[in-house]
């Protein structure tokens, strides 16, 4: 079954109530389905920002990309998620990750467990949320086998992060999705596959700024970065064709862009709907 497209936008400007609410209203007007914020020390706390955005919108869903699960006790996180669910009349979606920045754990005076232990704890938090808040969708975003196994078995949305360059011999995105399919078993068809877009042309040249993509994959050349799944290039029609290909070839139907790309990508949304 082919899923309908969904589109999310990551909120960047959160320095005042008006900036948050203006961005949320603009995202809703441009056709985005979900407004998302990250969860990092040094950035604003997700819940107040999302509550501020919710008050200015009517249909826009609100979510995180993603909570650091290891920052939270499950019952306390569930309490806040339940409040957001109720206050937004069911528009809240939970995104979870295992956390990866040791300096943030240090600043929070929390131990920094091994990668395996962080994944185990993420599974624990996810299980608690799915048991106590079954009506709130859960996304788990990551790339490693252990985390994607948890996502495939427990989450409703799989965030496929990273992704190396595609060549004639190797397709990393197809490999990750094949892994998820095997880990999910019979529930695979129930899953929504998500991809974060990190580069979009914004000046009419058709050439994207690769700085964000390079931040996460600094070892790759520009030519290699251009072939990674999260990079779009060309005209609006070219980008729309690429998004269709990602859905038709891989089954990815939910795409997230950053706020600085939202105006340009809105033209792509219009082509696809």
């Amino acid at each position: 079954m082919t899923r309908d497209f969904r589109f999310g936008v990551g909120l960047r400007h959160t320095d005042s109530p008006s900036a948050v609410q203006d961005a949320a209203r603009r995202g809703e007007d441009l056709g985005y389905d979900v407004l998302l914020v990250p969860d990092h020390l040094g950035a604003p706390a997700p819940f107040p920002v999302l509550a501020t955005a919710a008050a200015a919108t009517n249909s826009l869903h609100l979510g995180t990309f993603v909570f650091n699960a290891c920052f939270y006790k499950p019952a306390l996180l569930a309490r806040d998620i339940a409040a957001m669910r109720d206050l937004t009349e069911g528009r809240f979606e939970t995104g979870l990750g295992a956390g990866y920045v040791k300096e943030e754990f240090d600043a929070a005076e929390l131990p920094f467990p091994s990668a395996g232990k962080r994944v185990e704890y993420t599974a624990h938090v996810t299980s608690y949320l799915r048991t106590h808040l079954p009506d709130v969708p859960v996304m788990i975003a990551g790339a490693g086998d252990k985390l994607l196994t948890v996502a495939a078995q427990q989450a409703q949305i799989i965030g496929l992060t990273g992704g190396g360059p595609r060549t004639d011999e190797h397709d990393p995105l197809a490999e990750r999705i094949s892994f998820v399919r095997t880990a999910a078993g019979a529930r695979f068809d129930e899953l929504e596959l998500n991809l974060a877009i990190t580069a979009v042309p914004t000046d009419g040249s058709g050439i994207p700024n690769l700085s964000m993509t390079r931040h996460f994959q600094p070892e790759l050349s520009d030519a290699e970065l251009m072939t990674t799944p999260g990079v779009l290039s060309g005209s609006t029609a070219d980008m729309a064709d690429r998004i269709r290909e990602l859905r038709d070839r891989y089954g990815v139907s939910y795409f997230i862009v950053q706020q600085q790309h939202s105006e340009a990508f809105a033209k792509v949304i219009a082509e696809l709907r």
Side-chain angles (χ1 to χ4, degrees):
M1 180 183 71
T2 300
R3 282 183 173 269
D4 291 339
F5 285 118
R6 285 209 306 155
F7 301 104
V9 57
L11 184 61
R12 183 180 184 184
H13 300 297
T14 57
D15 51 350
S16 70
S18 61
V20 171
Q21 294 191 332
D22 288 349
R25 281 190 289 261
R26 184 59 178 159
E28 190 171 60
D29 290 344
L30 288 172
Y32 289 92
D33 302 288
V34 191
L35 182 77
L36 300 127
V37 297
D39 181 24
H40 291 290
L41 288 186
F47 285 120
V49 172
L50 292 171
T52 300
T57 54
N58 298 306
S59 61
L60 192 68
H61 281 218
L62 299 310
T64 50
F65 193 83
V66 285
F67 283 127
N68 180 344
C70 297
F71 279 177
Y72 302 95
K73 295 296 186 182
L76 299 179
L77 181 60
R79 177 191 63 178
D80 290 349
I81 290 172
M84 283 295 297
R85 174 201 61 194
D86 296 342
L87 293 172
T88 64
E89 298 181 310
R91 290 190 283 146
F92 189 77
E93 302 182 10
T94 301
L96 294 174
Y100 61 94
V101 183
K102 181 181 183 300
E103 291 78 10
E104 293 187 16
F105 284 79
D106 294 341
E109 299 183 12
L110 292 170
F112 184 63
S114 67
K117 292 295 184 183
R118 297 198 307 275
V119 171
E120 286 179 14
Y121 191 77
T122 302
H124 170 58
V125 172
T126 304
S127 178
Y128 188 96
L129 295 179
R130 297 287 291 118
T131 299
H132 294 272
L133 298 171
D135 56 338
V136 179
V138 173
M139 169 199 281
I140 294 180
D145 288 359
K146 291 182 178 179
L147 189 60
L148 284 180
T149 297
V150 174
Q153 295 174 352
Q154 295 197 48
Q156 291 108 325
I157 308 166
I158 312 295
L160 300 159
T161 63
R166 178 184 171 190
T167 67
D168 292 339
E169 296 77 28
H170 186 216
D171 187 337
L173 180 60
E175 188 276 327
R176 291 289 78 195
I177 293 172
S178 177
F179 181 90
V180 168
R181 181 185 293 275
T182 299
R187 73 187 300 263
F188 180 78
D189 289 340
E190 303 170 14
L191 302 178
E192 182 178 45
L193 301 183
N194 164 272
L195 183 66
I197 301 297
T198 58
V200 177
T202 59
D203 60 2
S205 69
I207 301 171
N209 181 330
L210 295 172
S211 58
M212 181 181 295
T213 315
R214 187 179 297 108
H215 175 77
F216 294 104
Q217 298 176 299
E219 74 283 1
L220 299 182
S221 68
D222 284 4
E224 289 172 323
L225 289 173
M226 290 291 290
T227 69
T228 58
V231 173
L232 298 179
S233 61
S235 66
T236 296
D238 292 333
M239 289 188 281
D241 286 343
R242 174 59 176 158
I243 295 295
R244 291 189 190 97
E245 179 192 9
L246 286 165
R247 184 175 67 173
D248 295 345
R249 179 189 292 265
Y250 303 101
V252 179
S253 59
Y254 175 18
F255 298 88
I256 297 171
V257 301
Q258 294 304 302
Q259 188 175 353
Q260 64 267 33
H261 302 144
S262 61
E263 297 283 342
F265 191 76
K267 298 174 183 177
V268 178
I269 294 176
E271 287 261 346
L272 294 167
R273 287 182 165 161

